[in-house]
Amino acid sequence: QVQLVESGGGLVQAGGSLRLSCAASGLTFSYYNMGWFRQAPGKEREFIAAISWGGGSTTYADSVKGRFTISRDNAKNMVYLQMNSLKPEDTAVYYCAARRDTFARSTVRADYWGQGTQVTVSS
């Protein structure tokens, strides 16, 4: 049974930082590209960032480029999202996702999803 468990969300002031973590189990982690998505209230889920199975390639949404960094540790079956210079518009539930195929910035598609962690940025 595949599980993706996010942690690290919370309440932070604008300009602050948070680091999200995602622990994966039940799958051969190094075979999967990993991604982060988010969904704000009343909005559709959107792509944020992705990292290739080996960690050598990353992709970001324009809205977070230069502020967020995705990374992974295949020895620990973990993927991370370092979020800096947070803005109120970053408030959302953040989801970890795994996919054998490459993540596309324009689509919300994954083989497996986590349950999400809430990030709230106050102004």
Side-chain angles (χ1 to χ4, degrees), residues 62-81:
D62 290 342
S63 59
V64 305
K65 197 174 295 183
R67 300 189 297 123
F68 291 11
T69 303
I70 188 171
S71 61
R72 65 188 295 161
D73 185 338
N74 283 355
K76 296 181 178 179
N77 286 12
M78 297 288 295
V79 62
Y80 307 99
L81 185 68

Side-chain angles (χ1 to χ4, degrees), residues 14-91:
S17 297
L18 280 175
R19 187 194 194 206
L20 304 184
S21 299
C22 173
S25 60
L27 75 172
T28 305
F29 185 70
S30 60
Y31 287 5
Y32 284 80
N33 301 297
M34 298 299 295
W36 287 96
F37 292 74
R38 70 185 180 189
Q39 188 166 15
K43 295 189 176 181
E44 294 185 349
R45 191 171 298 189
E46 63 174 351
F47 169 86
I48 294 300
I51 187 166
S52 60
W53 59 270
S57 177
T58 57
T59 306
Y60 297 94
D62 290 342
S63 59
V64 305
K65 197 174 295 183
R67 300 189 297 123
F68 291 11
T69 303
I70 188 171
S71 61
R72 65 188 295 161
D73 185 338
N74 283 355
K76 296 181 178 179
N77 286 12
M78 297 288 295
V79 62
Y80 307 99
L81 185 68
Q82 178 67 43
M83 305 186 295
N84 298 329
S85 303
L86 283 161
K87 306 175 182 180
E89 51 263 43
D90 294 318
T91 294

Side-chain angles (χ1 to χ4, degrees), residues 109-120:
R109 187 176 298 175
D111 297 331
Y112 303 104
W113 294 94
Q115 292 193 326
T117 185
Q118 176 71 47
V119 171
T120 303

